Amino acid sequence: MDATVTTPGSVGQKTWGGGNEPMSASYGKLMMWFFIVSDALTFSGFLAAYGFSRFKFIETWPLADEVFTHFPFLHGVTAPMYYVALMTFILIFSSVTMVLAVDAGHQMNKKKVTFYMFLTIIGGLIFVGSQAWEWKNFIKGEYGAVETKGGSLLQFVDNTGKRLSLAEVAQSLPKERETLTRNKGVWFLEEAELPTYSVAEVQAGFAANPNILIRTEVIYHDTPANRADKTLQPGLQKAKHKKILTRAESEKMLANAQYVVEGANLVRNEYGSKLFADFFFFITGFHGFHVFSGVIINIIIFFNVLLGTYERRGTYEMVEKVGLYWHFVDLVWVFVFTVFYLV
């Protein structure tokens, strides 16, 4: 059987022409698919590492319902996961508007493409802004905690199990301290910003109020065997919550306190395991960078649509290509949302 070989120099043939398109995809769309597959493998590696770490430190992993409780303009109102759910809805809805923009492009309807691209951009900007707001609250913290010399995290509750902030526990002492900076001491010495309260002030406030107890970072499963030992907080019969110590146990643990922890950063985390904060900043930040990049690309495409660039070309394929990327970042968020907030 004879084989026909076509070289790039043959008449009517090109290395990549309008015909013989692999999987009926143009060069640009195929390259976008290659990028999406490679990026999907990167995110898969990150999420797999998160899953392994959480499984290893499952007993001290923060509970999402206790971490993500804020909602804009509702200060002091506990709304676990409400705002995260709203963010997710907005991002998914922006994927719908992108589908409508691509469909309008197939119909060569410039007016509809412009309108739906605009809605997609607005949705992306709201999501990125919401993620920045969520980061701010996560970094700032809400209640605060104390870390012992052994690395255990101690949170404070009253005798009914209600969480108490450091402001409600600590007692002001006359001693003052300044943050050590290079212009105030030895040139090579510097330390992080001092917490609002010192360990001594927290210990003094705890000693002065016998109704304050310590809640550890260890998750307490409400089983029949454990419930029999639970003499405190009879109303807290939840499937999963943090273990509350007796007064004697609390005093013993607080005696080993070394740091006051407010909020979360790459070194300490008031909510629980330090790795949770590390993964949260890295994975949500990496995804947020993708969304922000998508918004910038969408804005460029939007202005090209307004200028009639694609109408003159006779195709809105660029809208379709950027739409593939946008659907990808939306899909990735579904997985990030699931592993960080739901599981």
Side-chain angles (χ1 to χ4, degrees):
M1 181 176 179
D2 295 335
T4 302
V5 178
T6 304
T7 62
S10 301
V11 178
Q13 295 292 331
K14 300 177 182 179
T15 303
W16 191 287
N20 297 322
E21 295 178 340
M23 297 177 288
S24 300
S26 66
Y27 177 80
K29 287 172 67 175
L30 196 60
M31 292 302 104
M32 178 59 77
W33 276 113
F34 284 161
F35 168 76
I36 288 174
V37 170
S38 63
D39 215 25
L41 293 174
T42 303
F43 272 106
S44 298
F46 293 158
L47 294 177
Y50 172 87
F52 282 123
S53 299
R54 175 170 180 171
F55 180 77
K56 184 175 181 180
F57 301 101
I58 189 65
E59 292 186 349
T60 59
W61 211 253
L63 301 176
D65 286 346
E66 295 184 354
V67 178
F68 309 103
T69 60
H70 301 86
F71 202 95
F73 311 112
L74 295 178
H75 181 69
V77 177
T78 301
M81 309 297 291
Y82 289 4
Y83 193 59
V84 179
L86 178 61
M87 288 168 50
T88 303
F89 172 78
I90 291 172
L91 190 63
I92 293 175
F93 186 75
S94 73
S95 199
V96 174
T97 58
M98 178 58 82
V99 169
L100 295 174
V102 172
D103 182 65
H106 290 160
Q107 301 172 21
M108 299 300 292
N109 190 327
K110 175 183 174 181
K111 185 176 180 180
K112 283 189 175 181
V113 174
T114 304
F115 175 69
Y116 290 124
M117 284 293 295
F118 177 75
L119 290 182
T120 303
I121 292 168
I122 295 300
L125 289 173
I126 292 175
F127 180 84
V128 172
S130 298
Q131 207 166 39
W133 182 83
E134 189 182 50
W135 269 41
K136 176 188 73 77
N137 288 294
F138 185 69
I139 293 171
K140 181 181 177 182
E142 185 175 4
Y143 293 101
V146 171
E147 185 177 313
T148 66
K149 296 176 182 178
S152 298
L153 195 71
L154 310 179
Q155 301 166 341
F156 298 95
V157 297
D158 61 17
N159 54 11
T160 65
K162 179 184 175 184
R163 284 289 301 276
L164 298 175
S165 65
L166 292 178
E168 297 173 290
V169 176
Q171 188 178 72
S172 297
L173 298 178
K175 185 178 179 181
E176 294 184 2
R177 235 199 101 187
E178 270 190 280
T179 303
L180 178 61
T181 57
R182 294 186 180 185
N183 64 338
K184 296 178 181 176
V186 183
W187 69 273
F188 55 84
L189 291 180
E190 191 170 7
E191 64 182 351
E193 183 180 351
L194 291 176
T196 307
Y197 304 96
S198 66
V199 172
E201 289 175 324
V202 174
Q203 291 173 331
F206 179 84
N209 192 337
N211 294 322
I212 298 177
L213 300 172
I214 281 179
R215 189 179 79 162
T216 68
E217 60 183 335
V218 178
I219 295 177
Y220 181 91
H221 294 273
D222 187 25
T223 63
N226 288 335
R227 195 177 303 127
D229 296 332
K230 187 173 176 167
T231 57
L232 299 170
Q233 301 80 40
L236 293 181
Q237 305 301 329
K238 297 188 289 186
K240 199 163 55 170
H241 52 78
K242 299 300 179 74
K243 186 175 182 180
I244 300 175
L245 304 179
T246 64
R247 179 67 183 186
E249 292 172 330
S250 299
E251 292 173 349
K252 184 178 179 180
M253 289 290 289
L254 191 59
N256 294 320
Q258 187 174 21
Y259 301 105
V260 172
V261 184
E262 293 177 305
N265 50 52
L266 297 177
V267 179
R268 293 185 176 84
N269 175 16
E270 76 165 50
Y271 306 102
S273 175
K274 303 176 182 65
L275 277 177
F276 176 83
D278 297 341
F279 277 113
F280 178 80
F281 288 128
F282 188 78
I283 295 179
T284 62
F286 192 59
H287 177 266
F289 173 75
H290 278 70
V291 177
F292 179 75
S293 300
V295 170
I296 298 300
I297 297 171
N298 281 340
I299 291 174
I300 295 172
I301 302 301
F302 173 76
F303 280 109
N304 281 333
V305 172
L306 286 178
L307 295 173
T309 302
Y310 309 123
E311 195 164 323
R312 289 192 296 273
R313 291 180 186 177
T315 176
Y316 280 86
E317 186 178 305
M318 281 299 297
V319 176
E320 190 172 353
K321 286 187 283 189
V322 76
L324 290 174
Y325 175 79
W326 194 254
H327 296 322
F328 168 70
V329 297
D330 287 5
L331 180 62
V332 168
W333 177 252
V334 172
F335 287 97
V336 174
F337 174 75
T338 300
V339 300
F340 267 105
Y341 303 96
L342 297 184
V343 178

